[in-house]
Amino acid sequence: MRRSIKSGIDSTAGFGLYAFSHDELESIHDATLQILQDTGIKVMSEAALEIFHGGGASVERFNGYGIVKIPPYLVEECAFYAPRTVVYDARNPNDDYVSEPNRIGFTTFGGCINIIDPVTREIRLATKKDCGDIARISDYLNEICVVERSVNSMDMQNETQSVHNFEAMLTNTGNHIFLGADSARSINCMIELASLCVGGNDIFQKRPIFTVSVSPLSPLGLPGNECELIMEAATSGMGILILPMGLSGGTSPPTLAGVLVTHNAEVLSSIALAQLTRKGTPCTYGSTSTILDLRFGTASIGSPEYGMINASVAKLARYYRLPCFVGGGASDSKKPDIQSGYEFTLSTTLSALAGGNILFGSGVLEQGLTFDLAKLIMDAEMMRMIQVATQGISVTDENLAVEVIHEVGSDGTYITHDTSLKHMRNQSRSNLFDRRNRKDWVELTRGKAIQERAYEAAMDILQNHKPLPLPDNAAREIREVVEAFDAKERMDKNDDVDESKRKIEQF
Amino acid sequence: MEELYGKMAEGLIAADVEGVSKLVQEGLDKNLSAKEILDNGLIPGMDIVGQRMKSGEMFIPEVLRSAKVMQGAIVLLKPHLSEEDSCGLGTVVIGTVEGDLHDIGKNLVSMMLQGSGFNVVDLGTNVKPQDFVEAAKSNKAHILGMSALLTTTMPKMEETVRALKESGIRDQIKIMAGGAPVTQKFVDDIEADGYGANAASASEVAKELII
Ligand code: B12
């Protein structure tokens, strides 16, 4: 028999999510333009107000802030200046992450305060060491495409935590790094550290190995600190991640379509500030917006709405042709239990089907406050399953396998057929999730709970995984830079404290 | 009387503005003192609202609506209250500490306190220690409430407690603190007086503190 080539058949590569029609996306866009033009956005930085004004927005000044109304052409133009696809350069070039439309990858949740201690299992404040450890585990896990600052170095003094976070991450991962910064000074220090690790500032300029994340103040506000960070990052040639945390029913409308409008307005106005500061600044369209649970008053990230909003944001980012970093996989549970597993799966699957480039949320519990290593390891296993599922079923002549089916007929078996040998490695592979029969499971695990096996796996990675080492001397050099920064900030702070003490005494 | 008080509570739970004002008027006409109406009708009514909030039976927007009705009723009573009683259960000065812009939780607490019968002075966000002290003094506050959502701004709570001590009014005021990263232990460590994990318990704790 001969089968000729089929011409022009419709085909779909992978499973996806048809969340909105083009008309619906346009409606969200138009509503956003209207809000930015008529309602405006509250900008709490004089320097940023100047930039908006210079760019053609109208600025009305009040005490300590200004309302900026941005004409539609300017919003669209600025969104257009931001690069379409971004390659997130990594210290280890093998780990450069290409975020073309619909390519999906994963990372952890960010900025947690607590961690469940993997040894004592007690909840405690996270430390710089935890920040580095989680970066190392992330570096090891193939499913993780960029490394996010998962926890804060709570054992370090306030204004320097972000720099300490960065040091801990640089030494533990070769991947691209996403993290928040305390101030423009911290960004400058981070650039210095990154430059030492890549062999100089000129190389860093070509290959910026980290992205600074900033958060607008929902609803419709850009706080002074955010503006400062955007302008500083743009000026120094770095990319930014704009990550609103709108809470539907709290700081954002109770209707989810309305959340998309305010969220979009917050992101597009931040992009405008970045592009007006320096055209071509890479902007990642982010989201960790969700609902404020109106019964318990908590920012619920285990709710289906978290997945719905973040999957929708992925579609919006795609509409603007911008790379995106959206929520998926977080949980409200207090332990790495079955609730956390269900919650991870629902929102991550939605965001993955929607084609989000970087889905963040793994490893986190308790509305984003607490990190857990066992959850991270279990989540990574589920990420792999989701990667397989989103690939979908490819319908080709070879895969339809008519000849093979004919050959095996009703008497044969496929397990001995050559095609099974050829395709077996395409099957999803479980490691921690157990697919064995009961007897083998008992023998292998002694019935130990999956969480326990996950903690063990995490400890094993921590002991054995060696991330790409820093260049000679770099570790020592970055230590010195961090120490100098720490000392300088401490001195400045003492001056401040003396100042406020004096004021209190006067009073 | 019991029946009238019961109806006030029901009216508050249902957020029936007109009903509650009528009942309050009825009470005044029957020569009940404003303080009696507050203590026996309105405040117990809001207590029930608080409990239902805690159990998840009532949604927060419903609770806030009830709180608003409560405030309306207090306005009606104000002319009949002595100066001392006119701040209801007491005056609370509240704010989010310096460097911190998170205010959703603080706003909920402040509305809940108002609804429970406190006179609340909300200083907004990014409030410096000396501004807390100043506001506490000028408002003759019974309670000072601080909110912080960032671990980097939590030390400002301690600084504020210190500033209150240095200003000499620490003994005249109770201090409450809250916000996601704040714990009972932290509150004890900084020598504040009360911790509330959510808006409903914030008002419970506030009431305990001023007894
Ligand atoms: C919404 C949100 C924001 C919004 C805030 C909008 C607003 N108008 O408030 C925005 C987007 C602006 C924001 C900004 C930032 N945020 Co934020 N944010 C949150 C989030 C998701 C929810 C907070 C919230 O509103 N919860 C709902 C309310 C109702 O709950 P609540 O505040 O806890 O209040 C209740 C109780 O705590 C208590 N309570 C509160 N106050 C008081 C006071 C008293 C006296 C009492 C008795 C009780 C009490 O009662 C309240 C009602 O039930 C939290 C995560 C979380 N789950 O908490 C992160 C979180 C607090 N943010 C975080 C961070 C890092 C930031 C940013 C630094 C991000 C950035 N890189 O720019 C900035 C900082 C801005 C600043 N200078 O303050 C981190 C903090 C990490 C840390 N080291 O502390 C968190 C934990 C998220 C995370 N994992 O990254 N954030």
Side-chain angles (χ1 to χ4, degrees), chain A residues 498-507, chain B residues 130 134 137 166-167:
Chain A
D498 289 347
E499 173 76 354
S500 67
K501 264 210 186 117
R502 221 191 58 232
K503 277 189 195 145
I504 293 167
E505 276 156 19
Q506 279 172 358
F507 175 71
Chain B
Q130 59 267 38
E134 213 162 324
K137 278 188 173 174
E166 285 167 12
S167 76

mmCIF file of all heavy atoms in Angstrom, chain A residues 498-507, chain B residues 130 134 137 166-167:
data_model
loop_
_atom_site.group_PDB
_atom_site.id
_atom_site.type_symbol
_atom_site.label_atom_id
_atom_site.label_comp_id
_atom_site.label_asym_id
_atom_site.label_seq_id
_atom_site.Cartn_x
_atom_site.Cartn_y
_atom_site.Cartn_z
ATOM 1 N N ASP A 498 19.699 57.711 64.215
ATOM 2 C CA ASP A 498 20.056 58.843 65.073
ATOM 3 C C ASP A 498 19.133 60.018 64.802
ATOM 4 O O ASP A 498 18.632 60.657 65.712
ATOM 5 C CB ASP A 498 21.506 59.272 64.805
ATOM 6 C CG ASP A 498 22.477 58.222 65.337
ATOM 7 O OD1 ASP A 498 22.021 57.345 66.089
ATOM 8 O OD2 ASP A 498 23.673 58.281 64.994
ATOM 9 N N GLU A 499 18.915 60.235 63.504
ATOM 10 C CA GLU A 499 18.051 61.333 63.072
ATOM 11 C C GLU A 499 16.656 61.198 63.681
ATOM 12 O O GLU A 499 16.138 62.127 64.291
ATOM 13 C CB GLU A 499 17.983 61.305 61.533
ATOM 14 C CG GLU A 499 17.005 62.264 60.904
ATOM 15 C CD GLU A 499 17.526 63.699 60.927
ATOM 16 O OE1 GLU A 499 18.583 63.955 61.537
ATOM 17 O OE2 GLU A 499 16.865 64.543 60.342
ATOM 18 N N SER A 500 16.069 59.986 63.577
ATOM 19 C CA SER A 500 14.697 59.836 64.054
ATOM 20 C C SER A 500 14.656 59.896 65.584
ATOM 21 O O SER A 500 13.717 60.396 66.168
ATOM 22 C CB SER A 500 14.055 58.556 63.517
ATOM 23 O OG SER A 500 14.676 57.448 64.056
ATOM 24 N N LYS A 501 15.723 59.402 66.240
ATOM 25 C CA LYS A 501 15.795 59.497 67.696
ATOM 26 C C LYS A 501 15.785 60.968 68.118
ATOM 27 O O LYS A 501 15.081 61.358 69.031
ATOM 28 C CB LYS A 501 17.103 58.854 68.197
ATOM 29 C CG LYS A 501 16.937 57.432 68.633
ATOM 30 C CD LYS A 501 17.948 57.094 69.729
ATOM 31 C CE LYS A 501 17.887 55.625 70.062
ATOM 32 N NZ LYS A 501 19.147 54.933 69.766
ATOM 33 N N ARG A 502 16.594 61.763 67.377
ATOM 34 C CA ARG A 502 16.687 63.174 67.701
ATOM 35 C C ARG A 502 15.303 63.814 67.595
ATOM 36 O O ARG A 502 14.879 64.546 68.466
ATOM 37 C CB ARG A 502 17.661 63.851 66.743
ATOM 38 C CG ARG A 502 18.552 64.863 67.454
ATOM 39 C CD ARG A 502 19.314 65.702 66.436
ATOM 40 N NE ARG A 502 18.409 66.386 65.548
ATOM 41 C CZ ARG A 502 18.476 66.345 64.214
ATOM 42 N NH1 ARG A 502 19.381 65.624 63.614
ATOM 43 N NH2 ARG A 502 17.620 67.011 63.479
ATOM 44 N N LYS A 503 14.611 63.449 66.502
ATOM 45 C CA LYS A 503 13.288 64.036 66.287
ATOM 46 C C LYS A 503 12.348 63.682 67.436
ATOM 47 O O LYS A 503 11.603 64.521 67.919
ATOM 48 C CB LYS A 503 12.688 63.532 64.970
ATOM 49 C CG LYS A 503 13.187 64.320 63.777
ATOM 50 C CD LYS A 503 12.407 63.943 62.536
ATOM 51 C CE LYS A 503 13.091 64.429 61.294
ATOM 52 N NZ LYS A 503 12.939 63.509 60.182
ATOM 53 N N ILE A 504 12.397 62.404 67.848
ATOM 54 C CA ILE A 504 11.511 61.977 68.927
ATOM 55 C C ILE A 504 11.828 62.757 70.200
ATOM 56 O O ILE A 504 10.944 63.220 70.904
ATOM 57 C CB ILE A 504 11.650 60.466 69.176
ATOM 58 C CG1 ILE A 504 11.113 59.709 67.953
ATOM 59 C CG2 ILE A 504 10.895 60.029 70.413
ATOM 60 C CD1 ILE A 504 11.462 58.252 67.928
ATOM 61 N N GLU A 505 13.152 62.912 70.470
ATOM 62 C CA GLU A 505 13.540 63.644 71.671
ATOM 63 C C GLU A 505 13.016 65.080 71.642
ATOM 64 O O GLU A 505 12.466 65.579 72.611
ATOM 65 C CB GLU A 505 15.065 63.627 71.841
ATOM 66 C CG GLU A 505 15.527 62.349 72.527
ATOM 67 C CD GLU A 505 16.970 61.984 72.215
ATOM 68 O OE1 GLU A 505 17.722 62.871 71.767
ATOM 69 O OE2 GLU A 505 17.328 60.806 72.411
ATOM 70 N N GLN A 506 13.177 65.698 70.469
ATOM 71 C CA GLN A 506 12.687 67.068 70.326
ATOM 72 C C GLN A 506 11.198 67.124 70.631
ATOM 73 O O GLN A 506 10.719 67.985 71.340
ATOM 74 C CB GLN A 506 12.914 67.574 68.899
ATOM 75 C CG GLN A 506 14.321 68.061 68.663
ATOM 76 C CD GLN A 506 14.557 68.361 67.195
ATOM 77 O OE1 GLN A 506 13.668 68.161 66.378
ATOM 78 N NE2 GLN A 506 15.734 68.834 66.888
ATOM 79 N N PHE A 507 10.500 66.147 70.092
ATOM 80 C CA PHE A 507 9.059 66.105 70.210
ATOM 81 C C PHE A 507 8.672 65.907 71.668
ATOM 82 O O PHE A 507 7.879 66.585 72.258
ATOM 83 C CB PHE A 507 8.519 64.964 69.354
ATOM 84 C CG PHE A 507 7.054 64.728 69.473
ATOM 85 C CD1 PHE A 507 6.166 65.620 68.951
ATOM 86 C CD2 PHE A 507 6.571 63.613 70.146
ATOM 87 C CE1 PHE A 507 4.822 65.423 69.065
ATOM 88 C CE2 PHE A 507 5.223 63.407 70.260
ATOM 89 C CZ PHE A 507 4.335 64.318 69.719
ATOM 90 N N GLN B 130 7.376 58.505 65.037
ATOM 91 C CA GLN B 130 7.023 59.746 65.741
ATOM 92 C C GLN B 130 5.639 60.250 65.352
ATOM 93 O O GLN B 130 4.973 60.916 66.139
ATOM 94 C CB GLN B 130 8.093 60.831 65.575
ATOM 95 C CG GLN B 130 8.369 61.240 64.165
ATOM 96 C CD GLN B 130 9.530 60.424 63.576
ATOM 97 O OE1 GLN B 130 9.663 59.223 63.837
ATOM 98 N NE2 GLN B 130 10.360 61.066 62.793
ATOM 99 N N GLU B 134 2.726 61.149 67.951
ATOM 100 C CA GLU B 134 2.055 62.440 67.894
ATOM 101 C C GLU B 134 0.531 62.252 67.830
ATOM 102 O O GLU B 134 -0.217 62.878 68.575
ATOM 103 C CB GLU B 134 2.527 63.149 66.630
ATOM 104 C CG GLU B 134 2.605 64.637 66.739
ATOM 105 C CD GLU B 134 3.493 65.184 65.612
ATOM 106 O OE1 GLU B 134 4.491 64.529 65.253
ATOM 107 O OE2 GLU B 134 3.157 66.250 65.100
ATOM 108 N N LYS B 137 -1.000 61.003 71.049
ATOM 109 C CA LYS B 137 -1.134 62.074 72.034
ATOM 110 C C LYS B 137 -2.309 62.984 71.698
ATOM 111 O O LYS B 137 -3.163 63.240 72.532
ATOM 112 C CB LYS B 137 0.142 62.916 72.071
ATOM 113 C CG LYS B 137 1.240 62.320 72.916
ATOM 114 C CD LYS B 137 2.389 63.334 73.040
ATOM 115 C CE LYS B 137 3.429 62.850 74.025
ATOM 116 N NZ LYS B 137 4.595 63.745 74.051
ATOM 117 N N GLU B 166 9.708 56.426 75.074
ATOM 118 C CA GLU B 166 10.520 57.636 75.240
ATOM 119 C C GLU B 166 9.673 58.888 75.412
ATOM 120 O O GLU B 166 10.071 59.835 76.064
ATOM 121 C CB GLU B 166 11.481 57.782 74.052
ATOM 122 C CG GLU B 166 12.643 56.804 74.162
ATOM 123 C CD GLU B 166 13.459 56.672 72.881
ATOM 124 O OE1 GLU B 166 13.277 57.505 71.968
ATOM 125 O OE2 GLU B 166 14.257 55.720 72.801
ATOM 126 N N SER B 167 8.472 58.857 74.817
ATOM 127 C CA SER B 167 7.628 60.046 74.911
ATOM 128 C C SER B 167 6.861 60.081 76.236
ATOM 129 O O SER B 167 6.152 61.033 76.512
ATOM 130 C CB SER B 167 6.648 60.077 73.763
ATOM 131 O OG SER B 167 5.630 59.139 74.016
#
